[in-house]
Amino acid sequence: MVAFALAALLFLAFCVSVRQDRRRFSNAVLLGLTFLSAFSALFLQVGKLPTWAAVTVVVIAFASPAFATLALGIFLVRNGMVMIRKEGFRPANLLSLLAGLTIFALIALLVLVGVVGSPLLGGIAGTLTVVAGYVSFVFFCFLGYAFLYGRIKVRGDVDHVVMLGSGLVGGDRVPPLLASRLRKGQQIYEAQLARGGRPPVLLVSGGKGSDEKVSEARAMADWLIAQGVPEPHVVLEDRSTTTEENMLFSRDIMTAHDPAYRCVVVTNNFHAFRAAMLARKTGVNGQVLGSPTAKYYWPSATIREFVAIFWEHRVVNLSICALLTVFGALGTLAAVLV
């Protein structure tokens, strides 16, 4: 049991951190470290098993990630092709395809090292693998906690339901992605009325882009009113151009209405955790709920969210990647000189 002490302490730290604020990225890291330390402790117990059982565990432990990595690469490449076919050939739609091709490129490099046997090439491949391993660890921390965060429910009444905008179709029409957010917000509104609560204000947030005829907030408000929501219950925030501005300007409107307000922010499920981090950063008093997203769209959108979070913490992440690269270069140099 002593071997699992670190995992237990990390899990306790995770629980305390989540209780203090669910919207921290440190929660995701603590969760990932908990699983990593628990798996490591479990692996250390292999020596206490019978030989056949120990061999089986070791084979599974190393074979499963290899097959999973190959399967992930195939899935991402296929998803990338679907994204291009359905959403067009744009940089934002290429992320899953590029991620899949990167996986296959790294696999090919490792195979080449085995064939050539070059210390220099082996060092380069090893360094890239370690850096990729760190990035993958952070990604799975994000993915795992984002999944858990997406399971939260609204408890009690809220004063405002904030719905974050996205691009319009034809300059003035609500696309399916945005309609999903609006439906989710309307469901929260109707559920609160159904249980006898006061009607929350539906606060639609989004400014007017250079290629749009009306603000996103205006199009969103018109959509809700057309669905039967009384116009006095809809308030527009039509100045924002980023998610952070969505939060800041919406916070100002809610604070002016009631400094002790309580709200729920609605966006798509792939965006919920990063939006929650921005809500915490900007002082918005509320959690973020996610609405459904088309299955084919989710992988690429999730990778985009991860890239944004990775870059927001770039000082730490790039420093670690640089440190791993330096150690790898030193190891490669030593191997070449031997």
Side-chain angles (χ1 to χ4, degrees):
M1 293 302 293
V2 177
F4 293 93
L6 178 58
L9 288 174
L10 287 169
F11 182 68
L12 178 61
F14 166 74
C15 293
V16 171
S17 183
V18 168
R19 183 173 179 81
Q20 290 175 342
D21 197 328
R22 299 174 181 174
R23 304 171 296 177
R24 295 172 171 171
F25 189 71
S26 57
N27 297 341
V29 176
L30 285 170
L31 181 64
L33 290 174
T34 297
F35 276 100
L36 184 62
S37 59
F39 177 80
S40 299
L42 187 63
F43 195 74
L44 290 174
Q45 305 305 305
V46 169
K48 299 178 181 180
L49 298 174
T51 303
W52 67 269
V55 172
T56 302
V57 170
V58 171
V59 169
I60 292 175
F62 286 97
S64 297
F67 283 114
T69 300
L70 183 62
L72 179 62
I74 294 171
F75 168 76
L76 289 173
V77 169
R78 290 183 62 184
N79 176 256
M81 300 304 293
V82 173
M83 278 292 293
I84 293 172
R85 187 173 71 251
K86 292 192 174 185
E87 299 291 332
F89 195 86
R90 297 193 300 272
N93 298 334
L94 302 178
L95 290 176
S96 57
L97 176 62
L98 292 175
L101 292 176
T102 299
I103 289 174
F104 284 118
L106 187 55
I107 292 174
L109 180 60
L110 292 173
V111 171
L112 183 62
V113 168
V115 173
V116 175
S118 165
L120 177 60
L121 190 60
I124 293 173
T127 301
L128 290 175
T129 301
V130 171
V131 173
Y134 169 73
V135 175
S136 299
F137 170 74
V138 178
F139 175 72
F140 283 108
C141 288
F142 158 73
L143 194 64
Y145 187 71
F147 174 80
L148 290 180
Y149 186 86
R151 309 278 77 76
I152 67 172
K153 305 293 182 183
V154 180
R155 295 182 178 178
D157 290 353
V158 295
D159 303 297
H160 296 80
V161 179
V162 181
M163 286 160 280
L164 306 184
S166 67
L168 303 177
V169 175
D172 59 358
R173 299 194 310 277
V174 170
L177 191 76
L178 183 52
S180 174
R181 303 180 186 186
L182 296 174
R183 275 192 294 271
K184 181 74 171 181
Q186 187 177 3
Q187 288 170 4
I188 297 170
Y189 168 87
E190 292 173 347
Q192 186 159 312
L193 291 181
R195 60 175 180 264
R198 62 186 181 281
V201 174
L202 296 181
L203 178 50
V204 289
S205 177
K208 179 178 178 294
S210 58
D211 59 343
E212 294 172 336
K213 301 174 185 176
V214 298
S215 69
E216 293 167 5
R218 181 68 268 167
M220 294 161 73
D222 291 343
W223 191 96
L224 288 168
I225 293 168
Q227 296 298 312
V229 176
E231 186 171 355
H233 294 174
V234 182
V235 172
L236 281 67
E237 181 289 294
D238 57 5
R239 297 185 296 142
S240 56
T241 58
T242 65
T243 303
E244 186 167 353
E245 288 183 354
N246 286 145
M247 299 294 183
L248 286 169
F249 299 156
S250 296
R251 181 203 63 192
D252 292 344
I253 292 173
M254 292 185 289
T255 301
H257 181 263
D258 179 6
Y261 75 90
R262 180 170 176 264
C263 78
V264 166
V265 180
V266 178
T267 184
N268 286 89
N269 50 15
F270 64 82
H271 186 230
F273 182 40
R274 186 163 77 92
M277 292 170 58
L278 288 171
R280 179 176 182 267
K281 176 182 177 182
T282 54
V284 172
N285 182 26
Q287 299 295 335
V288 180
L289 298 186
S291 65
T293 305
K295 291 181 179 179
Y296 78 88
Y297 193 86
W298 184 87
S300 187
T302 299
I303 293 173
R304 185 170 67 243
E305 292 299 301
F306 168 70
V307 170
I309 289 177
F310 192 89
W311 186 248
E312 286 170 8
H313 297 83
R314 57 186 173 276
V315 174
V316 173
N317 288 319
L318 294 183
S319 295
I320 292 174
C321 289
L323 191 62
L324 292 174
T325 302
V326 169
F327 283 141
L330 292 175
T332 302
L333 181 62
V336 171
L337 294 177
V338 170

